[in-house]
Structure formats: C-alpha cells, structure tokens
Amino acid sequence: MSEHHASIIWQRESDTFDYPSYNRSHLWRFESGVTVAASAAPEFLGTPDRVDPEEAFVAAISACHMLTFLAICSRKRLPVNRYTDHAVGFMAKNSQGRLAITRVDLHPDIVFDGDSPGREIIQKIHHLSHQECFIANSVNTEIRVQSPVRVSDPPTD
C-alpha cells in the first residue's frame, strides 16, 4: 500500500561510551526534508529541549486520530474550524513486565463551524476515528478519548 521512511542519525560526542556519559542527541530526517532534533527523554539522560521517542509516539497517535476525525467530519459535511489536543502518554510495565507506553489519553478540543452535531454523534465519530486510525491499529497501547466540545469560538469583547 505505502512505505514511510525515516533516517536516524547519531554521532558520539563523548570520549567514553559508558552509560551516563554518552550523548543521546540525534536527528530524525524525513523524505519531506524535515529534520527533527531528538534525544532520549530527560529521565533517560536525554536533552530536555529535544523531542523524545515517547513524546513522538504520543503525538503520532494524537495526530492520526485528529486527521481521521477531520476526514470523517469532512465526508459527513460537518465543518470543523479548529481541533487541538493535549494528549498524555503513560509509561508503565505492560503485561509482560516490560516498560511501555501502555495508555494514551486524548483530550481533543474541537470547534465546529455552526451547530454542533451533538455529543452522541461526536462520540461515534471518535469511535470510528479510533477504528480507522492507522497508528492506533498498529499498537497495543490503550487509547482513550476524553472530549469536550465547543460549537464555536467564544465571543470576543
């Protein structure tokens, strides 16, 4: 169906290669030409001002859910003006006793253009978005959607 490529580039910057001293900073390069400065999470001796794989994983789940949600709304002629999400991933031991992102909670805030389709329809669209999201279909992580919905932007005075 399709292929997706990423190049990961790391170069040692330390004199030694013992666990506490080697650098975790690296680059992610994509075919689009985008380069992302990445590192391990700070808890694993990474650089805090770079994206870590766990954050990227949570962002990929959130973005895939959003893009699927928007596609469904577009097909149903339910215009969306804005969609923001503050997703949270939780690392814990999985059923095999290994560390994993075991759950991701999505907190989308969706602003529809005009009348809201209603909570029941929105929940059905979220459910369908989860079923059709390529990333969600690729992982064992539990994904929960907790969604407040606004019909339109609040008036500005």
Side-chain angles (χ1 to χ4, degrees):
M1 301 239 342
S2 65
E3 292 182 0
H4 306 274
H5 301 263
S7 297
I8 309 302
I9 301 105
W10 175 86
Q11 177 68 45
R12 189 171 89 194
E13 297 170 355
S14 59
D15 293 332
T16 63
F17 192 65
D18 59 332
Y19 187 79
S21 68
Y22 74 87
N23 58 296
R24 274 69 171 173
S25 296
H26 58 283
L27 299 174
W28 301 345
R29 287 207 179 118
F30 300 95
E31 287 188 334
S32 65
V34 172
T35 298
V36 174
S39 184
E43 301 88 334
F44 300 102
L45 306 177
T47 307
D49 63 347
R50 290 176 172 239
V51 176
D52 66 62
E54 295 82 6
E55 290 173 314
F57 180 78
V58 172
I61 288 172
S62 175
C64 187
H65 184 90
M66 176 198 68
L67 292 168
T68 306
F69 186 93
L70 295 174
I72 293 167
C73 285
S74 177
R75 289 193 305 258
K76 292 184 174 293
R77 292 179 171 72
L78 298 170
V80 175
N81 287 343
R82 185 173 59 243
Y83 184 115
T84 58
D85 187 9
H86 301 285
V88 180
F90 298 90
M91 185 178 290
K93 290 193 176 183
N94 63 16
S95 60
Q96 291 82 34
R98 297 183 180 143
L99 279 179
I101 304 293
T102 57
R103 188 177 95 222
V104 173
D105 287 351
L106 305 179
H107 300 271
D109 184 7
I110 303 158
V111 178
F112 287 90
D113 186 23
D115 293 334
S116 169
R119 184 163 296 283
E120 185 177 320
I121 290 172
I122 293 167
Q123 286 175 338
K124 286 180 183 178
I125 296 170
H126 277 303
H127 180 74
L128 187 56
S129 298
H130 179 69
Q131 288 181 322
E132 293 186 11
C133 171
F134 309 139
I135 304 296
N137 289 334
S138 303
V139 300
N140 293 324
T141 304
E142 176 188 7
I143 301 168
R144 297 187 207 175
V145 178
Q146 300 171 7
S147 179
V149 177
R150 289 186 282 152
V151 176
S152 61
D153 286 323
T156 56
D157 293 30

